[in-house]
Amino acid sequence: MDKLIVALDTDDLKSAEDIIDKLYPTVKVFKIGSQLFTNVGPAAMELARDKEIKIFLDLKFHDIPNTVANASRAAAKLGVFMFNLHVQGGFNMMKKAVAAVKEESKKSNIAPPLVLGVTVLTSIGDKDLRDLEIRKGVKSQVTYLAKLAKDAGLNGVVASADEIQPIRWLCGDDFIIVTPGIRPEWAKKNDQKRTATPKEAIELGADYIVVGRPILNADDPKAAAEKVIKEILS
Ligand code: C5P
């Protein structure tokens, strides 16, 4: 099942490996974020070796165009399936990143990774935007930035369930939407606020959902992943 991405939010390779051992091949796509990557570096990619595993590298690049282009080139070389950058890094930064990925993939003869944009973090609300002197509310800022990402050549965005429909309407069916903040009815909400169940998110139009704690903290993670998949497919 490719629509379910499980977040490897751990500090070390051993714990990440334990998660994969429990979930693979039920789950085939895993997310490596700044927590694991800062702890272990590109060695995290070893987790995917010898298995049919795809990696979403969630490092949210945000820097000057040249630096982000070089980091994007490095992500492509690592052989990840998808990675992300902040749309607020600007149009030029996004265009340079996309060009670098294309160039590197061609040179190294590898499939180009999907480049996803982060619009407005789900932890940011209308008041935070006003404090930054951004006059739009979160929803219109998110859709505006999603369109900018599409125009710059990005393949899609990471977006909460609330934002899927306006983005889909504005950016079309081919634009990829990856949705975190997923909470099945049987799971705790933790610190996530704008949540949706796996089925709701997929029905709203998400191409992929990212699930962390509801699976990682379950008594039986494999059974929890199977329950999520069953819900998506039902
Ligand atoms: O444990 P939980 O299911 O809340 O994990 C969600 C994962 O998705 C975490 O790795 C978190 O960093 C990530 N994420 C998120 N909200 C975003 C972007 C990423 O929860 N807007």
Side-chain angles (χ1 to χ4, degrees), residues 7 9 31 58 60 121-122 158 180-183 191-192 210-214:
D9 290 332
K31 182 171 85 70
D58 178 21
K60 302 184 181 72
L121 290 170
T122 43
V158 180
I182 299 296
R183 289 295 176 271
D191 52 356
Q192 295 283 16
V210 177
V211 184
R213 288 161 289 180

Side-chain angles (χ1 to χ4, degrees), residues 26 36 52 78 94 105 113 116 130 175 185 194-195 206 210 225 227:
T26 306
L36 183 59
E52 244 184 276
L78 284 177
M94 291 190 279
S105 307
L116 303 175
R130 278 199 302 280
F175 201 59
E185 265 153 25
R194 285 173 281 153
T195 62
V210 177
K227 253 206 279 192

Side-chain angles (χ1 to χ4, degrees), residues 44-156:
M45 290 303 296
E46 293 296 317
L47 295 165
R49 199 164 294 257
D50 305 325
K51 290 190 185 77
E52 244 184 276
I53 284 177
K54 294 181 186 173
I55 297 293
F56 169 16
L57 189 64
D58 178 21
L59 296 181
K60 302 184 181 72
F61 299 142
H62 190 171
D63 210 315
I64 58 170
N66 187 56
T67 302
V68 170
N70 288 334
S72 301
R73 210 182 289 279
K77 263 200 272 190
L78 284 177
V80 302
F81 169 53
M82 47 170 76
F83 73 92
N84 56 8
L85 41 79
H86 273 282
V87 178
Q88 291 178 66
F91 194 74
N92 194 24
M93 184 204 80
M94 291 190 279
K95 278 194 83 155
K96 283 229 156 77
V98 170
V101 163
K102 273 197 190 132
E103 197 186 280
E104 185 59 49
S105 307
K106 203 167 163 200
K107 198 171 111 196
S108 307
N109 197 23
I110 47 175
L114 299 170
V115 187
L116 303 175
V118 175
T119 56
V120 179
L121 290 170
T122 43
S123 50
I124 299 269
D126 287 340
K127 173 158 188 325
D128 301 292
L129 289 186
R130 278 199 302 280
D131 290 347
L132 293 165
E133 295 213 345
I134 294 170
R135 280 177 211 104
K136 287 195 175 87
V138 169
K139 251 200 188 147
S140 53
Q141 179 71 352
V142 164
T143 45
Y144 169 73
L145 292 175
K147 182 66 169 52
L148 194 70
K150 183 183 161 86
D151 291 345
L154 262 59
N155 301 100

